[in-house]
């Protein structure tokens, strides 16, 4: 860091984050790629997005936008400290704000060392440098802070969903971190730590703070956030064993506060909004008389309509969702498409039937196609349907979503503890069934990583790509082959992929990933038709699955819950009787358009 003294002696509290977690353009996918690609592939992103490092400033040189988490930290601190003592700075500008008066540099980070699902696996497939691009920039930020000439005057506090990575790898000294706070900044304990740092007192190495228990305790920033992220819910409720966010209380946040944060983003120049959630479909149905997995159609349409109709909101991007609600209420999906598609910045010309080929791409967990495995790791993932019906729920959900121009990015976990070849075959069968039916999702396989604090924290995962079995490799490469479909419409694309993949394999990957990788890679590269490779026993041939009709699926819902089904969605179980009109979710005031 440049050690010149800022004219005001620096700010007592300086807030920052890695540049790769702050950048706000080119959509979610640039950050997801940076989390997963190794640093030596950075030039691909540099070529595609030459301006990715460009950022916007406020008049005082502070950051115009910051990740939503850091903005909430700022809002939390503003309850106790004066605004002139706090600043949000891009990493490259820290020298303008860190000076002799600085007592805290607080870093928010999502994934500093790249050891979460998906992030670690792709870098390790590519070998040599395992460091993902995001991790490289995170380390660069920590090194800059560590090298400050004023380092002995301030303490470094880290928070955010990736803070645990520093604790688990004991990287405090290496990165120059004094304290990691795990949990939300709204907590009074978080404020106490900042108070201590301002007084120059020693801080605890690690502090776990309480999550707010009610919707009113959660703060909303009145400033612009990266990608226009505004919180919609916390927690989930489906209780998957490997999940971190599900450990938080299930809360849906008040619409007026969400809308206030949307307007603040627009006011500060953001044209895009995205609601942060684990499952968008629970909003409006948390702690009502209706179970949260029967979506509140009217409330959701009302909220999303008001967001996309806010003047200045040009783009809206979905974040996370689950798939069972699409089977429960296809009418909701159709109506959401009518409201949201025109504002989606994502275009999939070969898939979408929208006049401008726009598409909605929520992130949805598929995780496994094996019912045996699903029962162990995510028994409630498909509620209200029993987990035994998981493959049918996925196929039906996807057909409803695709018909409405939703093409989700679906995550899969490879190498779950106790996963057998049969489990892997079952997942391949499901993926092949999706392909056979002409359905489409971006399948994003990742290798099981025991995430801190989850119910599977102690389970052991695959640590080296060489440990992967041929079937696990086949699953990974099959997913990526299918994912290329929307981009394969140019005449040269398939050949370029084939040659590129083969070249990379010959030069590097063959040695690195071992013999189990060879046939799946040749399948990915399209060297020989899959049929032939299957015939010679080199690959598993996906077996056709028996998929239940939607009516059969609805019949598997517990009969006492049939009353929550909506008659206008059709396919109702025999013996269904419509509930009296007053039954259902909580009463939410509606705009006339939403009920129309
Ligand atoms: C939106 C989102 C994204 C977006 C935008 C991210 C961004 N830069 O803004 C995109 C799609 C780009 C993204 C990408 C990824 N994400 Co993401 N993402 C989310 C999501 C849905 C919401 C995050 C959010 O803004 N929440 C709202 C804010 C207010 O909450 P928060 O960030 O946690 O902040 C609070 C506290 O953490 C704390 N806090 C935050 N910073 C600080 C700093 C200090 C000093 C202190 C004291 C406290 C503090 O206070 C805040 C509130 O008071 C979460 C799930 C979730 N609900 O949290 C997943 C989540 C954080 N992502 C996750 C993952 C795995 C990823 C990826 C690695 C996925 C991938 N393979 O591509 C990448 C990594 C991106 C990167 N740059 O490295 C995981 C994190 C797991 C982990 N770290 O252990 C989560 C939890 C999802 C999950 N179900 O597993 N993500
Ligand atoms: S459905 Fe998703 S967010 Fe909910 S518990 Fe399972 S993994 Fe977590």
């Amino acid at each position: 860091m440049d050690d010149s003294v800022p004219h005001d002696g620096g700010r007592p509290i300086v807030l920052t984050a890695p540049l790769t977690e702050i950048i706000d353009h080119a959509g979610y996918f640039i950050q997801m790629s940076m989390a997963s690609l190794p640093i030596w592939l950075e030039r691909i992103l540099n070529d595609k997005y030459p301006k990715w490092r460009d950022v916007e400033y406020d008049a005082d040189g502070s950051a115009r936008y910051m990740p939503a988490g850091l903005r909430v930290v700022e809002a939390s601190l503003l309850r106790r400290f004066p605004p002139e003592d706090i600043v949000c700075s891009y990493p490259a500008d820290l020298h303008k704000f860190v000076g002799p008066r600085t007592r805290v540099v607080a870093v928010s980070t999502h994934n500093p060392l790249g050891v979460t699902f998906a992030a670690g696996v792709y870098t390790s497939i590519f070998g040599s440098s395992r460091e993902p691009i995001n991790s490289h920039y995170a380390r660069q930020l920590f090194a800059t802070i560590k090298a400050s000439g004023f380092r002995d005057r301030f303490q470094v506090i880290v928070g955010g969903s990736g803070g645990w990575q520093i604790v688990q790898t004991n990287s405090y000294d290496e990165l120059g971190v004094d304290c990691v706070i795990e949990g939300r900044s709204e907590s009074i304990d978080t404020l106490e730590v900042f108070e201590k740092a301002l007084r120059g007192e020693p801080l605890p190495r690690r502090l776990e703070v309480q999550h707010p228990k009610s919707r009113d305790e959660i703060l909303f920033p009145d400033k612009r956030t990266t990608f226009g992220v505004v919180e919609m819910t916390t927690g989930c409720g489906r209780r998957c064993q490997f999940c971190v966010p599900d450990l938080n209380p299930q809360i849906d946040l008040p619409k007026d506060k969400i809308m206030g944060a949307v307007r603040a983003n627009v006011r500060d120049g953001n044209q895009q909004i995205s609601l942060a959630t684990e499952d968008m479909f629970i909003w409006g149905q948390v702690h009502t008389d209706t179970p949260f997995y029967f979506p509140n159609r009217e409330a959701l349409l009302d909220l999303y309509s008001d967001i996309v109709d806010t003047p200045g909101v040009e783009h809206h991007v979905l974040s996370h969702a689950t798939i069972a609600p699409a089977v429960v209420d296809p009418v909701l999906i159709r109506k959401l498409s009518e409201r949201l598609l025109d504002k989606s910045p994502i275009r999939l010309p070969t898939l979408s039937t929208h006049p401008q080929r726009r598409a909605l791409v929520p992130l949805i967990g598929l995780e496994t196609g094996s019912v045996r495995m699903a029962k162990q790791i995510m028994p409630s993932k498909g509620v209200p349907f029993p987990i035994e019906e998981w493959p049918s729920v996925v196929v039906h959900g996807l057909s409803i979503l695709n018909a409405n121009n939703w093409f989700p990015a679906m995550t899969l976990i490879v190498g779950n503890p106790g996963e057998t070849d049969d489990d892997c075959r079952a997942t391949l069968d499901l993926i092949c069934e999706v392909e056979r039916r002409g359905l489409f999702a971006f399948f994003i396989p990742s290798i099981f990583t025991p995430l801190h604090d989850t119910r599977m924290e102690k389970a052991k995962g695959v640590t080296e790509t060489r440990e992967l079995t041929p079937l696990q490799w086949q699953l990974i490469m099959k997913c990526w082959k299918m994912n290329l479909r929307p981009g394969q419409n140019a005449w040269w694309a398939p050949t370029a992929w084939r040659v590129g993949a083969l070249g990379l394999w010959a030069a590097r990957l063959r040695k690195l990933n071992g013999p189990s990788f060879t046939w799946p890679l040749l399948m990915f590269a399209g060297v020989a038709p899959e049929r032939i490779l299957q015939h010679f026993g080199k690959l598993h041939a996906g077996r056709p699955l028996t998929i239940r009709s939607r009516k059969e699926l609805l019949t598997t819902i517990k009969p006492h819950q049939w009353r929550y089904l909506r008659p206008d969605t059709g396919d109702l179980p025999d013996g269904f009787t419509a509930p009296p009109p007053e039954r259902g979710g909580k009463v939410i005031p509606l705009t006339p358009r939403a009920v129309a």
Side-chain angles (χ1 to χ4, degrees):
M1 200 190 300
D2 171 355
D3 285 337
S4 53
V5 180
H7 66 90
D8 59 356
R11 303 286 181 99
I13 303 174
V14 180
L15 307 179
T16 189
L19 178 67
T20 39
E21 297 187 19
I22 297 173
I23 49 163
D24 183 65
H25 53 89
Y28 272 174
F29 294 100
I30 188 167
Q31 280 206 16
M32 296 176 77
S33 310
M34 286 179 165
S36 300
L37 292 176
I39 185 67
W40 62 271
L41 284 179
E42 187 188 3
R43 66 193 141 81
I44 297 180
L45 294 171
N46 293 342
D47 288 347
K48 183 147 176 56
Y49 306 107
K51 295 190 173 166
W52 74 260
R53 289 185 187 76
D54 294 0
V55 285
E56 293 172 43
Y57 288 90
D58 278 343
D60 61 353
S62 65
R64 168 72 51 93
Y65 41 84
M66 276 285 162
L70 197 72
R71 283 298 193 205
V72 177
V73 175
E74 187 185 16
S76 303
L77 295 171
L78 283 168
R79 291 175 303 175
R80 194 169 285 189
F81 308 107
E84 54 282 8
D85 283 1
I86 304 169
V87 70
C88 283
S89 167
Y90 295 125
D93 304 311
L94 283 171
H95 62 281
K96 297 181 190 157
F97 301 107
V98 175
R101 276 187 348 117
T102 304
R103 294 291 170 270
V104 188
V105 176
V107 181
S108 175
T109 181
H110 211 84
N111 187 23
L113 305 176
V115 287
T116 59
F117 293 132
V121 56
Y122 292 108
T123 44
S124 93
I125 288 174
F126 288 111
S128 85
S129 164
R130 284 159 166 266
E131 191 177 40
I133 300 172
N134 187 66
S135 166
H136 172 84
Y137 279 85
R139 282 176 183 277
Q140 207 173 57
L141 169 64
F142 285 114
T144 307
I145 299 169
K146 200 174 178 180
S148 164
F150 309 103
R151 181 64 187 89
D152 55 345
R153 304 189 188 204
F154 62 81
Q155 307 201 53
V156 176
I157 303 177
V158 175
S161 46
W164 66 271
Q165 297 177 2
I166 294 170
V167 178
Q168 298 271 299
T169 55
N170 195 11
S171 318
Y172 293 93
D173 295 338
E174 186 194 339
L175 300 179
V177 174
D178 297 295
C179 170
V180 174
I181 298 185
E182 295 190 72
R184 292 189 63 107
S185 62
E186 285 95 334
S187 159
I188 295 303
D189 294 340
T190 304
L191 290 182
E192 297 296 323
V193 170
F194 277 80
E195 289 272 20
K196 272 191 174 183
L198 287 172
R199 293 195 297 265
E201 293 171 16
L203 303 183
R205 282 233 130 173
R206 171 177 178 263
L207 183 72
E208 202 168 327
V209 296
Q210 287 250 316
H211 192 287
K213 299 243 172 347
S214 76
R215 12 166 51 204
D216 302 326
E217 292 168 69
I218 292 190
L219 293 178
F220 280 76
D222 185 38
K223 290 198 176 170
R224 178 166 162 183
T225 57
T226 295
F227 297 126
V229 169
V230 173
E231 263 188 308
M232 180 192 198
T233 62
T234 75
C236 166
R238 288 184 188 262
R239 294 277 176 267
C240 302
Q241 301 284 305
F242 48 82
C243 179
V244 179
D246 184 62
L247 302 171
N248 295 327
Q250 191 191 43
I251 300 176
D252 59 347
L253 294 159
K255 182 182 166 191
D256 58 337
K257 293 200 176 159
I258 294 176
M259 293 309 297
V262 169
R263 286 190 292 272
N265 265 286
V266 173
R267 184 201 60 215
D268 290 352
N270 209 342
Q271 298 185 325
Q272 175 179 313
I273 295 297
S274 181
L275 298 186
T277 175
E278 302 323 320
D279 181 3
M280 58 184 274
F281 294 117
I282 70 172
W283 193 87
Q285 203 67 291
V286 175
H287 306 311
T288 67
D289 296 341
T290 303
F292 68 89
Y293 36 87
F294 290 93
N296 187 335
R297 186 195 295 173
E298 285 70 22
L300 285 164
L301 287 170
D302 181 53
L303 175 70
Y304 279 105
S305 299
D306 279 4
I307 288 172
V308 291
D309 289 346
T310 301
V313 174
E314 298 303 326
H315 293 137
H316 170 270
V317 181
L318 291 176
S319 86
H320 298 60
T322 49
I323 200 156
V327 184
V328 171
D329 190 354
V331 175
L332 168 65
I333 303 299
R334 176 167 54 79
K335 291 194 175 234
L336 278 173
S337 296
E338 286 164 12
R339 301 299 303 138
L340 298 181
L341 266 177
D342 289 344
K343 294 258 165 117
S344 173
I346 304 167
R347 293 178 203 238
L348 297 174
T350 53
L351 297 170
S352 170
T353 54
H354 180 269
Q356 290 144 4
R357 304 290 177 248
R358 293 181 194 272
L360 297 168
V361 185
L363 288 153
I364 294 182
L366 164 58
E367 319 309 3
T368 178
S370 155
V371 169
R372 189 194 80 87
M373 197 81 248
K375 275 186 186 167
Q376 282 178 28
I377 62 170
M378 46 182 219
S380 309
K381 185 82 157 180
V383 285
F385 306 102
I387 197 66
E388 287 75 12
E389 306 302 337
W390 183 234
S392 293
V393 171
V394 171
V395 169
H396 265 295
L398 209 47
S399 59
I400 290 160
L401 293 176
N402 282 185
N404 290 288
N405 291 319
W406 296 45
F407 300 96
M410 298 193 80
T411 47
L412 284 107
I413 308 176
V414 177
N416 280 302
E419 183 178 87
T420 62
D421 278 356
D422 276 345
D423 296 318
C424 216
R425 281 189 201 99
T427 307
L428 271 164
D429 292 344
L430 179 57
I431 301 296
C432 292
E433 187 67 37
V434 166
E435 187 180 43
R436 197 172 298 117
R437 289 171 182 247
L439 300 173
F440 186 83
F442 295 93
F443 289 117
I444 319 286
S446 59
I447 295 179
F448 172 76
T449 312
L451 291 186
H452 151 73
D453 270 355
T454 62
R455 302 169 185 92
M456 289 173 85
E457 172 176 39
K458 301 247 162 4
K460 188 182 171 304
V462 174
T463 49
E464 288 289 324
T465 50
R466 269 185 166 269
E467 291 172 22
L468 291 170
T469 65
L471 280 163
Q472 289 171 329
W473 271 122
Q474 183 184 342
L475 179 57
I476 293 173
M477 300 316 282
K478 176 72 185 168
C479 290
W480 282 107
K481 188 173 184 191
M482 286 166 66
N483 291 347
L484 296 179
R485 189 175 124 199
Q488 294 264 341
N489 48 343
W491 64 269
W492 48 266
T495 315
W497 272 108
R498 254 171 236 174
V499 174
L502 275 177
L504 204 58
W505 173 71
R508 191 161 201 156
L509 307 182
R510 189 164 45 122
K511 267 202 191 134
L512 192 76
N513 294 324
S516 302
F517 182 56
T518 303
W519 292 108
L521 190 274
L522 296 181
M523 174 269 294
F524 172 78
V527 169
E530 276 180 65
R531 257 180 311 107
I532 307 272
L533 296 175
Q534 287 160 4
H535 178 77
F536 287 104
K538 303 295 180 196
L539 294 178
H540 168 68
R543 296 160 295 195
L545 297 182
T546 308
I547 298 296
R548 284 189 194 267
S549 69
R550 180 167 178 269
K551 181 169 175 141
E552 283 168 343
L553 267 183
L554 294 187
T555 308
T556 66
I557 296 175
K558 292 185 182 119
H560 73 272
Q561 293 187 337
W562 289 0
R563 63 198 169 119
Y564 302 118
L565 295 171
R566 308 280 299 242
D568 61 354
T569 65
D571 299 321
L572 297 168
D574 295 335
F576 169 88
T577 43
E582 71 274 12
R583 287 244 180 87
K586 81 180 141 200
V587 180
I588 298 220
L590 302 178
T591 60
R593 188 196 39 251
V595 246

